[in-house]
PDB file of all heavy atoms in Angstrom:
ATOM      1  N   LYS A 357     -12.719 -13.787   1.995  1.00 92.00           N
ATOM      2  CA  LYS A 357     -13.868 -13.272   2.759  1.00 92.00           C
ATOM      3  C   LYS A 357     -14.099 -14.023   4.070  1.00 92.00           C
ATOM      4  O   LYS A 357     -14.936 -13.622   4.876  1.00 92.00           O
ATOM      5  CB  LYS A 357     -15.125 -13.299   1.892  1.00 92.00           C
ATOM      6  CG  LYS A 357     -15.092 -12.266   0.757  1.00 92.00           C
ATOM      7  CD  LYS A 357     -16.355 -12.271  -0.062  1.00 92.00           C
ATOM      8  CE  LYS A 357     -16.383 -11.122  -1.059  1.00 92.00           C
ATOM      9  NZ  LYS A 357     -15.219 -11.079  -1.950  1.00 92.00           N
ATOM     10  N   LYS A 358     -13.357 -15.106   4.293  1.00 94.00           N
ATOM     11  CA  LYS A 358     -13.395 -15.758   5.610  1.00 94.00           C
ATOM     12  C   LYS A 358     -12.837 -14.814   6.679  1.00 94.00           C
ATOM     13  O   LYS A 358     -13.163 -14.940   7.854  1.00 94.00           O
ATOM     14  CB  LYS A 358     -12.549 -17.033   5.597  1.00 94.00           C
ATOM     15  CG  LYS A 358     -13.094 -18.152   4.725  1.00 94.00           C
ATOM     16  CD  LYS A 358     -12.141 -19.330   4.757  1.00 94.00           C
ATOM     17  CE  LYS A 358     -12.603 -20.451   3.841  1.00 94.00           C
ATOM     18  NZ  LYS A 358     -11.613 -21.566   3.818  1.00 94.00           N
ATOM     19  N   TYR A 359     -11.976 -13.882   6.218  1.00 96.00           N
ATOM     20  CA  TYR A 359     -11.358 -12.919   7.124  1.00 96.00           C
ATOM     21  C   TYR A 359     -11.913 -11.544   6.772  1.00 96.00           C
ATOM     22  O   TYR A 359     -11.386 -10.827   5.926  1.00 96.00           O
ATOM     23  CB  TYR A 359      -9.836 -12.987   6.995  1.00 96.00           C
ATOM     24  CG  TYR A 359      -9.342 -14.408   7.135  1.00 96.00           C
ATOM     25  CD1 TYR A 359      -8.990 -15.159   6.004  1.00 96.00           C
ATOM     26  CD2 TYR A 359      -9.289 -15.020   8.378  1.00 96.00           C
ATOM     27  CE1 TYR A 359      -8.570 -16.474   6.129  1.00 96.00           C
ATOM     28  CE2 TYR A 359      -8.878 -16.341   8.510  1.00 96.00           C
ATOM     29  CZ  TYR A 359      -8.523 -17.057   7.380  1.00 96.00           C
ATOM     30  OH  TYR A 359      -8.140 -18.364   7.497  1.00 96.00           O
ATOM     31  N   GLU A 360     -13.005 -11.209   7.420  1.00 95.00           N
ATOM     32  CA  GLU A 360     -13.782 -10.016   7.098  1.00 95.00           C
ATOM     33  C   GLU A 360     -13.135  -8.757   7.668  1.00 95.00           C
ATOM     34  O   GLU A 360     -12.772  -8.709   8.851  1.00 95.00           O
ATOM     35  CB  GLU A 360     -15.195 -10.186   7.674  1.00 95.00           C
ATOM     36  CG  GLU A 360     -16.090  -8.978   7.548  1.00 95.00           C
ATOM     37  CD  GLU A 360     -17.372  -9.148   8.333  1.00 95.00           C
ATOM     38  OE1 GLU A 360     -17.689 -10.299   8.735  1.00 95.00           O
ATOM     39  OE2 GLU A 360     -18.055  -8.132   8.555  1.00 95.00           O
ATOM     40  N   ILE A 361     -12.969  -7.747   6.831  1.00 95.00           N
ATOM     41  CA  ILE A 361     -12.463  -6.465   7.321  1.00 95.00           C
ATOM     42  C   ILE A 361     -13.528  -5.849   8.231  1.00 95.00           C
ATOM     43  O   ILE A 361     -14.655  -5.606   7.808  1.00 95.00           O
ATOM     44  CB  ILE A 361     -12.121  -5.512   6.168  1.00 95.00           C
ATOM     45  CG1 ILE A 361     -10.936  -6.051   5.363  1.00 95.00           C
ATOM     46  CG2 ILE A 361     -11.788  -4.115   6.710  1.00 95.00           C
ATOM     47  CD1 ILE A 361     -10.563  -5.197   4.169  1.00 95.00           C
ATOM     48  N   TYR A 362     -13.161  -5.615   9.468  1.00 94.00           N
ATOM     49  CA  TYR A 362     -14.104  -5.092  10.454  1.00 94.00           C
ATOM     50  C   TYR A 362     -13.952  -3.578  10.617  1.00 94.00           C
ATOM     51  O   TYR A 362     -14.933  -2.839  10.637  1.00 94.00           O
ATOM     52  CB  TYR A 362     -13.872  -5.804  11.792  1.00 94.00           C
ATOM     53  CG  TYR A 362     -14.861  -5.469  12.871  1.00 94.00           C
ATOM     54  CD1 TYR A 362     -16.211  -5.763  12.730  1.00 94.00           C
ATOM     55  CD2 TYR A 362     -14.447  -4.853  14.057  1.00 94.00           C
ATOM     56  CE1 TYR A 362     -17.126  -5.456  13.729  1.00 94.00           C
ATOM     57  CE2 TYR A 362     -15.346  -4.552  15.058  1.00 94.00           C
ATOM     58  CZ  TYR A 362     -16.684  -4.853  14.884  1.00 94.00           C
ATOM     59  OH  TYR A 362     -17.590  -4.539  15.877  1.00 94.00           O
ATOM     60  N   LYS A 363     -12.710  -3.126  10.726  1.00 93.00           N
ATOM     61  CA  LYS A 363     -12.420  -1.696  10.801  1.00 93.00           C
ATOM     62  C   LYS A 363     -11.086  -1.422  10.111  1.00 93.00           C
ATOM     63  O   LYS A 363     -10.223  -2.298  10.028  1.00 93.00           O
ATOM     64  CB  LYS A 363     -12.343  -1.217  12.262  1.00 93.00           C
ATOM     65  CG  LYS A 363     -13.672  -1.180  12.987  1.00 93.00           C
ATOM     66  CD  LYS A 363     -13.497  -0.618  14.398  1.00 93.00           C
ATOM     67  CE  LYS A 363     -14.836  -0.582  15.136  1.00 93.00           C
ATOM     68  NZ  LYS A 363     -14.668  -0.023  16.513  1.00 93.00           N
ATOM     69  N   MET A 364     -10.938  -0.179   9.634  1.00 92.00           N
ATOM     70  CA  MET A 364      -9.679   0.214   9.006  1.00 92.00           C
ATOM     71  C   MET A 364      -9.236   1.558   9.561  1.00 92.00           C
ATOM     72  O   MET A 364     -10.033   2.480   9.710  1.00 92.00           O
ATOM     73  CB  MET A 364      -9.838   0.313   7.485  1.00 92.00           C
ATOM     74  CG  MET A 364     -10.139  -1.004   6.808  1.00 92.00           C
ATOM     75  SD  MET A 364     -10.222  -0.842   5.018  1.00 92.00           S
ATOM     76  CE  MET A 364      -8.511  -0.486   4.623  1.00 92.00           C
ATOM     77  N   TYR A 365      -7.954   1.641   9.869  1.00 93.00           N
ATOM     78  CA  TYR A 365      -7.340   2.899  10.292  1.00 93.00           C
ATOM     79  C   TYR A 365      -6.225   3.163   9.279  1.00 93.00           C
ATOM     80  O   TYR A 365      -5.106   2.642   9.421  1.00 93.00           O
ATOM     81  CB  TYR A 365      -6.778   2.778  11.703  1.00 93.00           C
ATOM     82  CG  TYR A 365      -7.799   2.354  12.739  1.00 93.00           C
ATOM     83  CD1 TYR A 365      -8.096   0.998  12.933  1.00 93.00           C
ATOM     84  CD2 TYR A 365      -8.462   3.286  13.523  1.00 93.00           C
ATOM     85  CE1 TYR A 365      -9.038   0.598  13.875  1.00 93.00           C
ATOM     86  CE2 TYR A 365      -9.404   2.899  14.472  1.00 93.00           C
ATOM     87  CZ  TYR A 365      -9.682   1.550  14.641  1.00 93.00           C
ATOM     88  OH  TYR A 365     -10.622   1.155  15.567  1.00 93.00           O
ATOM     89  N   CYS A 366      -6.525   3.910   8.252  1.00 92.00           N
ATOM     90  CA  CYS A 366      -5.557   4.046   7.169  1.00 92.00           C
ATOM     91  C   CYS A 366      -5.605   5.439   6.541  1.00 92.00           C
ATOM     92  O   CYS A 366      -6.569   6.183   6.701  1.00 92.00           O
ATOM     93  CB  CYS A 366      -5.791   2.974   6.101  1.00 92.00           C
ATOM     94  SG  CYS A 366      -7.320   3.179   5.181  1.00 92.00           S
ATOM     95  N   GLU A 367      -4.529   5.757   5.835  1.00 92.00           N
ATOM     96  CA  GLU A 367      -4.435   6.969   5.035  1.00 92.00           C
ATOM     97  C   GLU A 367      -4.027   6.554   3.631  1.00 92.00           C
ATOM     98  O   GLU A 367      -3.265   5.602   3.454  1.00 92.00           O
ATOM     99  CB  GLU A 367      -3.392   7.928   5.613  1.00 92.00           C
ATOM    100  CG  GLU A 367      -3.720   8.505   6.975  1.00 92.00           C
ATOM    101  CD  GLU A 367      -4.774   9.599   6.911  1.00 92.00           C
ATOM    102  OE1 GLU A 367      -5.079  10.071   5.798  1.00 92.00           O
ATOM    103  OE2 GLU A 367      -5.283   9.989   7.984  1.00 92.00           O
ATOM    104  N   THR A 368      -4.547   7.253   2.636  1.00 90.00           N
ATOM    105  CA  THR A 368      -4.160   6.979   1.252  1.00 90.00           C
ATOM    106  C   THR A 368      -3.644   8.265   0.603  1.00 90.00           C
ATOM    107  O   THR A 368      -3.971   9.370   1.047  1.00 90.00           O
ATOM    108  CB  THR A 368      -5.334   6.425   0.425  1.00 90.00           C
ATOM    109  OG1 THR A 368      -6.401   7.370   0.419  1.00 90.00           O
ATOM    110  CG2 THR A 368      -5.827   5.107   0.990  1.00 90.00           C
ATOM    111  N   PHE A 369      -2.842   8.097  -0.429  1.00 89.00           N
ATOM    112  CA  PHE A 369      -2.373   9.256  -1.188  1.00 89.00           C
ATOM    113  C   PHE A 369      -2.139   8.823  -2.632  1.00 89.00           C
ATOM    114  O   PHE A 369      -1.958   7.626  -2.931  1.00 89.00           O
ATOM    115  CB  PHE A 369      -1.095   9.847  -0.580  1.00 89.00           C
ATOM    116  CG  PHE A 369       0.084   8.901  -0.541  1.00 89.00           C
ATOM    117  CD1 PHE A 369       1.020   8.879  -1.559  1.00 89.00           C
ATOM    118  CD2 PHE A 369       0.254   8.020   0.528  1.00 89.00           C
ATOM    119  CE1 PHE A 369       2.103   8.014  -1.525  1.00 89.00           C
ATOM    120  CE2 PHE A 369       1.329   7.157   0.580  1.00 89.00           C
ATOM    121  CZ  PHE A 369       2.256   7.149  -0.454  1.00 89.00           C
ATOM    122  N   ASN A 370      -2.172   9.785  -3.537  1.00 88.00           N
ATOM    123  CA  ASN A 370      -1.927   9.514  -4.951  1.00 88.00           C
ATOM    124  C   ASN A 370      -0.427   9.595  -5.223  1.00 88.00           C
ATOM    125  O   ASN A 370       0.274  10.463  -4.682  1.00 88.00           O
ATOM    126  CB  ASN A 370      -2.667  10.520  -5.831  1.00 88.00           C
ATOM    127  CG  ASN A 370      -4.173  10.392  -5.698  1.00 88.00           C
ATOM    128  OD1 ASN A 370      -4.689   9.302  -5.488  1.00 88.00           O
ATOM    129  ND2 ASN A 370      -4.885  11.497  -5.804  1.00 88.00           N
ATOM    130  N   PHE A 371       0.048   8.699  -6.074  1.00 87.00           N
ATOM    131  CA  PHE A 371       1.484   8.655  -6.356  1.00 87.00           C
ATOM    132  C   PHE A 371       1.702   8.388  -7.845  1.00 87.00           C
ATOM    133  O   PHE A 371       1.023   7.561  -8.449  1.00 87.00           O
ATOM    134  CB  PHE A 371       2.157   7.551  -5.530  1.00 87.00           C
ATOM    135  CG  PHE A 371       3.624   7.378  -5.825  1.00 87.00           C
ATOM    136  CD1 PHE A 371       4.559   8.239  -5.281  1.00 87.00           C
ATOM    137  CD2 PHE A 371       4.058   6.358  -6.656  1.00 87.00           C
ATOM    138  CE1 PHE A 371       5.907   8.083  -5.557  1.00 87.00           C
ATOM    139  CE2 PHE A 371       5.404   6.193  -6.942  1.00 87.00           C
ATOM    140  CZ  PHE A 371       6.331   7.063  -6.379  1.00 87.00           C
ATOM    141  N   ARG A 372       2.638   9.122  -8.416  1.00 84.00           N
ATOM    142  CA  ARG A 372       3.036   8.874  -9.799  1.00 84.00           C
ATOM    143  C   ARG A 372       4.551   8.999  -9.893  1.00 84.00           C
ATOM    144  O   ARG A 372       5.118  10.055  -9.649  1.00 84.00           O
ATOM    145  CB  ARG A 372       2.375   9.875 -10.747  1.00 84.00           C
ATOM    146  CG  ARG A 372       2.677   9.580 -12.207  1.00 84.00           C
ATOM    147  CD  ARG A 372       1.875  10.466 -13.136  1.00 84.00           C
ATOM    148  NE  ARG A 372       1.951   9.994 -14.513  1.00 84.00           N
ATOM    149  CZ  ARG A 372       1.245  10.517 -15.513  1.00 84.00           C
ATOM    150  NH1 ARG A 372       0.427  11.529 -15.284  1.00 84.00           N
ATOM    151  NH2 ARG A 372       1.350  10.029 -16.730  1.00 84.00           N
ATOM    152  N   GLY A 373       5.192   7.902 -10.224  1.00 82.00           N
ATOM    153  CA  GLY A 373       6.642   7.893 -10.292  1.00 82.00           C
ATOM    154  C   GLY A 373       7.157   7.893 -11.722  1.00 82.00           C
ATOM    155  O   GLY A 373       6.410   8.125 -12.685  1.00 82.00           O
ATOM    156  N   PHE A 374       8.444   7.635 -11.844  1.00 83.00           N
ATOM    157  CA  PHE A 374       9.101   7.585 -13.144  1.00 83.00           C
ATOM    158  C   PHE A 374       9.829   6.257 -13.292  1.00 83.00           C
ATOM    159  O   PHE A 374      10.418   5.755 -12.331  1.00 83.00           O
ATOM    160  CB  PHE A 374      10.109   8.732 -13.291  1.00 83.00           C
ATOM    161  CG  PHE A 374       9.488  10.099 -13.269  1.00 83.00           C
ATOM    162  CD1 PHE A 374       9.297  10.766 -12.078  1.00 83.00           C
ATOM    163  CD2 PHE A 374       9.085  10.717 -14.443  1.00 83.00           C
ATOM    164  CE1 PHE A 374       8.721  12.023 -12.041  1.00 83.00           C
ATOM    165  CE2 PHE A 374       8.514  11.971 -14.424  1.00 83.00           C
ATOM    166  CZ  PHE A 374       8.328  12.629 -13.227  1.00 83.00           C
ATOM    167  N   ASP A 375       9.785   5.695 -14.485  1.00 83.00           N
ATOM    168  CA  ASP A 375      10.504   4.460 -14.776  1.00 83.00           C
ATOM    169  C   ASP A 375      11.718   4.826 -15.621  1.00 83.00           C
ATOM    170  O   ASP A 375      11.624   4.994 -16.833  1.00 83.00           O
ATOM    171  CB  ASP A 375       9.590   3.486 -15.529  1.00 83.00           C
ATOM    172  CG  ASP A 375      10.252   2.138 -15.753  1.00 83.00           C
ATOM    173  OD1 ASP A 375      11.465   2.011 -15.490  1.00 83.00           O
ATOM    174  OD2 ASP A 375       9.568   1.205 -16.212  1.00 83.00           O
ATOM    175  N   LEU A 376      12.867   4.963 -14.965  1.00 81.00           N
ATOM    176  CA  LEU A 376      14.081   5.401 -15.649  1.00 81.00           C
ATOM    177  C   LEU A 376      14.672   4.326 -16.555  1.00 81.00           C
ATOM    178  O   LEU A 376      15.625   4.595 -17.292  1.00 81.00           O
ATOM    179  CB  LEU A 376      15.121   5.853 -14.622  1.00 81.00           C
ATOM    180  CG  LEU A 376      14.699   7.022 -13.714  1.00 81.00           C
ATOM    181  CD1 LEU A 376      15.805   7.349 -12.730  1.00 81.00           C
ATOM    182  CD2 LEU A 376      14.355   8.243 -14.543  1.00 81.00           C
ATOM    183  N   SER A 377      14.115   3.114 -16.496  1.00 84.00           N
ATOM    184  CA  SER A 377      14.619   2.053 -17.371  1.00 84.00           C
ATOM    185  C   SER A 377      13.944   2.065 -18.737  1.00 84.00           C
ATOM    186  O   SER A 377      14.385   1.369 -19.656  1.00 84.00           O
ATOM    187  CB  SER A 377      14.408   0.681 -16.710  1.00 84.00           C
ATOM    188  OG  SER A 377      13.026   0.381 -16.608  1.00 84.00           O
ATOM    189  N   LYS A 378      12.878   2.840 -18.902  1.00 84.00           N
ATOM    190  CA  LYS A 378      12.164   2.898 -20.175  1.00 84.00           C
ATOM    191  C   LYS A 378      13.020   3.540 -21.257  1.00 84.00           C
ATOM    192  O   LYS A 378      13.602   4.611 -21.038  1.00 84.00           O
ATOM    193  CB  LYS A 378      10.864   3.687 -20.029  1.00 84.00           C
ATOM    194  CG  LYS A 378       9.693   2.907 -19.465  1.00 84.00           C
ATOM    195  CD  LYS A 378       8.425   3.760 -19.534  1.00 84.00           C
ATOM    196  CE  LYS A 378       7.216   2.993 -19.032  1.00 84.00           C
ATOM    197  NZ  LYS A 378       5.993   3.826 -19.086  1.00 84.00           N
ATOM    198  N   ALA A 379      13.063   2.912 -22.409  1.00 82.00           N
ATOM    199  CA  ALA A 379      13.798   3.476 -23.551  1.00 82.00           C
ATOM    200  C   ALA A 379      12.829   4.308 -24.400  1.00 82.00           C
ATOM    201  O   ALA A 379      12.714   4.125 -25.603  1.00 82.00           O
ATOM    202  CB  ALA A 379      14.434   2.361 -24.371  1.00 82.00           C
ATOM    203  N   GLU A 380      12.122   5.216 -23.762  1.00 82.00           N
ATOM    204  CA  GLU A 380      11.124   6.045 -24.429  1.00 82.00           C
ATOM    205  C   GLU A 380      11.267   7.481 -23.945  1.00 82.00           C
ATOM    206  O   GLU A 380      11.944   7.763 -22.957  1.00 82.00           O
ATOM    207  CB  GLU A 380       9.713   5.531 -24.117  1.00 82.00           C
ATOM    208  CG  GLU A 380       9.463   4.100 -24.553  1.00 82.00           C
ATOM    209  CD  GLU A 380       8.097   3.588 -24.092  1.00 82.00           C
ATOM    210  OE1 GLU A 380       7.349   4.389 -23.485  1.00 82.00           O
ATOM    211  OE2 GLU A 380       7.795   2.410 -24.331  1.00 82.00           O
ATOM    212  N   VAL A 381      10.592   8.388 -24.645  1.00 80.00           N
ATOM    213  CA  VAL A 381      10.625   9.792 -24.253  1.00 80.00           C
ATOM    214  C   VAL A 381       9.819  10.001 -22.974  1.00 80.00           C
ATOM    215  O   VAL A 381      10.249  10.681 -22.047  1.00 80.00           O
ATOM    216  CB  VAL A 381      10.078  10.695 -25.383  1.00 80.00           C
ATOM    217  CG1 VAL A 381      10.016  12.153 -24.920  1.00 80.00           C
ATOM    218  CG2 VAL A 381      10.946  10.568 -26.628  1.00 80.00           C
TER     219      VAL A 381
END
Side-chain angles (χ1 to χ4, degrees):
K357 290 182 172 55
K358 292 178 183 176
Y359 309 101
E360 174 189 345
I361 293 178
Y362 186 62
K363 289 183 180 180
M364 295 183 68
Y365 303 84
C366 68
E367 294 284 348
T368 60
F369 61 94
N370 295 327
F371 176 79
R372 185 173 192 174
F374 296 89
D375 185 351
L376 300 179
S377 67
K378 278 187 178 179
E380 300 174 3
V381 176

